[in-house]
């Protein structure tokens, strides 16, 4: 095992690309160059400041409690929004752990900019929201035929929304035939599949003919494994095939 007793810890911290702050008794006693650049300040200006000042007012009480605990043990990584010295805000991951200096207790805090990650998450949420809205929309093809495009990932909540919403829309729009297009669905769990196929049975109770298109082999196998009886439901490879069938009748 290597002997680390002669490692210059101060140089490791100073040259780290991760912003690092060392503080004790709610007073900053050191920040490295990466932290100074991240918070848009200088090392000299940061020394002596209260680390709580970078946090939003509603977070300060919880952060102070967290700091007190961090003197004894590492704290889990959390997400926070903090202020830079120029007044701008930034989303970060925050990690704190004990870092005693001789006999003095102190805490080392590391921060990581998660702006890009949060933007990606928000974009994904917005995309999923749009997909969900699309999947609650009946696309009319003729006065009697409409298509329900099922796209994206289907979870239990979204499947329940479909079961609660689609029958009402079908009645309101006086749909006689509803095409369930599964071509945009790649995976389903058993509970969600059961809920979706239950919608087909609800349609039959309302006197609406159901047609299934774009059902992938694994989804077809799942319906069989679950004992879902779709023998009375027409199935086609594509929406175009289904519409061609009904136009030719």
């Amino acid at each position: 095992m290597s002997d680390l007793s002669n490692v210059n810890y101060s140089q490791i911290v100073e040259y780290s690309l991760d912003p690092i702050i060392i503080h004790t008794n709610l007073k900053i006693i050191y920040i490295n160059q990466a932290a100074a650049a991240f918070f848009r300040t200088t090392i000299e200006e940061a020394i002596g400041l209260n680390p709580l000042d970078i946090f939003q007012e509603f977070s300060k009480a919880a952060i102070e409690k967290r700091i007190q605990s961090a003197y004894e043990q590492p704290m889990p990584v959390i997400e926070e929004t903090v202020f830079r010295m120029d007044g701008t805000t930034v989303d970060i991951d925050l990690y704190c752990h004990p870092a005693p200096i001789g006999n003095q207790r102190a805490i080392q805090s590391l921060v990581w900019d998660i702006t890009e990650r949060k933007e990606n998450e928000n974009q994904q949420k917005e995309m999923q929201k749009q997909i969900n809205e699309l999947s609650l929309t009946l696309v009319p093809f003729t006065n009697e035929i409409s298509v329900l495009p099922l796209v994206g990932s289907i979870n239990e909540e979204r499947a329940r929304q479909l079961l609660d919403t689609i029958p009402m829309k079908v009645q309101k729009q006086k749909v006689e035939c509803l095409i369930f297009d599964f071509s945009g669905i790649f995976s389903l769990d058993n509970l969600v599949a059961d809920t979706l196929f239950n919608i087909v049975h609800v349609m039959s109770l309302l006197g609406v003919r159901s047609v299934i298109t774009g059902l992938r082999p694994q989804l077809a196998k799942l319906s069989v494994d679950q004992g879902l009886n779709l023998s009375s439901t027409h199935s086609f490879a594509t929406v175009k095939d289904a519409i061609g069938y009904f136009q030719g009748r």
Side-chain angles (χ1 to χ4, degrees), residues 4-229:
L4 302 180
S5 59
N6 294 319
V7 171
N8 189 330
Y9 173 73
S10 62
Q11 281 196 333
I12 293 175
V13 172
E14 181 59 29
Y15 296 141
S16 172
L17 297 179
D18 293 326
I20 295 174
I21 304 170
I22 298 177
H23 50 97
T24 184
N25 298 323
L26 297 182
K27 182 183 291 186
I28 294 174
I29 59 176
Y30 172 81
I31 66 170
N32 64 355
Q33 290 289 346
F38 180 79
F39 285 101
R40 298 175 181 172
T41 186
T42 65
I43 293 175
E44 293 73 21
E45 289 174 334
I47 300 301
L49 296 179
N50 187 332
L52 291 178
D53 289 343
I54 67 172
F55 296 97
Q56 300 174 95
E57 282 299 326
F58 62 83
S59 297
K60 287 185 177 181
I63 293 297
E64 184 172 4
K65 183 177 180 181
R66 177 184 175 87
I67 286 174
Q68 295 305 317
S69 299
Y71 284 116
E72 306 299 329
Q73 61 184 350
M75 291 289 100
V77 176
I78 60 170
E79 288 186 10
E80 276 292 337
T81 300
V82 297
F83 292 100
R84 292 186 170 110
M85 294 306 175
D86 62 1
T88 59
T89 58
V90 59
D91 293 321
I92 64 165
D93 271 344
L94 172 66
Y95 174 57
C96 303
H97 65 80
I101 302 173
N103 294 325
Q104 182 185 25
R105 67 176 192 166
I107 295 169
Q108 178 170 284
S109 294
L110 293 89
V111 298
W112 298 278
D113 188 343
I114 59 171
T115 301
E116 184 176 352
R117 188 181 83 198
K118 296 293 289 186
E119 288 177 351
N120 289 337
E121 288 175 356
N122 290 335
Q123 289 174 1
Q124 289 295 324
K125 288 179 182 177
E126 182 60 29
M127 187 182 301
Q128 190 61 51
K129 179 182 176 183
Q130 293 175 3
I131 289 173
N132 289 347
E133 290 174 352
L134 176 62
S135 290
L136 292 174
T137 301
L138 300 184
V139 182
F141 184 77
T142 67
N143 290 336
E144 300 83 19
I145 303 174
S146 288
V147 180
L148 176 63
L150 297 168
V151 293
S153 60
I154 302 282
N155 55 24
E156 182 179 354
E157 179 183 355
R158 187 172 165 208
R160 187 167 54 249
Q161 281 183 319
L162 289 166
L163 185 57
D164 292 341
T165 305
I166 296 306
M168 292 187 294
K169 290 192 173 186
V170 164
Q171 286 190 312
K172 184 177 181 180
Q173 297 180 25
K174 298 181 180 179
V175 174
E176 296 181 8
C177 176
L178 182 60
I179 300 173
F180 293 84
D181 182 35
F182 282 79
S183 60
I185 298 294
F186 292 89
S187 63
L188 297 171
D189 61 30
N190 291 350
L191 180 60
V192 173
D194 187 52
T195 303
L196 288 174
F197 287 118
N198 276 341
I199 301 176
V200 175
H201 295 303
V202 171
M203 292 299 101
S204 65
L205 294 176
L206 295 175
V208 177
R209 288 181 297 171
S210 296
V211 174
I212 293 176
T213 63
L215 196 62
R216 299 174 188 278
Q218 59 268 36
L219 301 185
K221 182 177 183 301
L222 180 59
S223 67
V224 172
D225 292 342
Q226 287 191 264
L228 300 172
N229 184 9

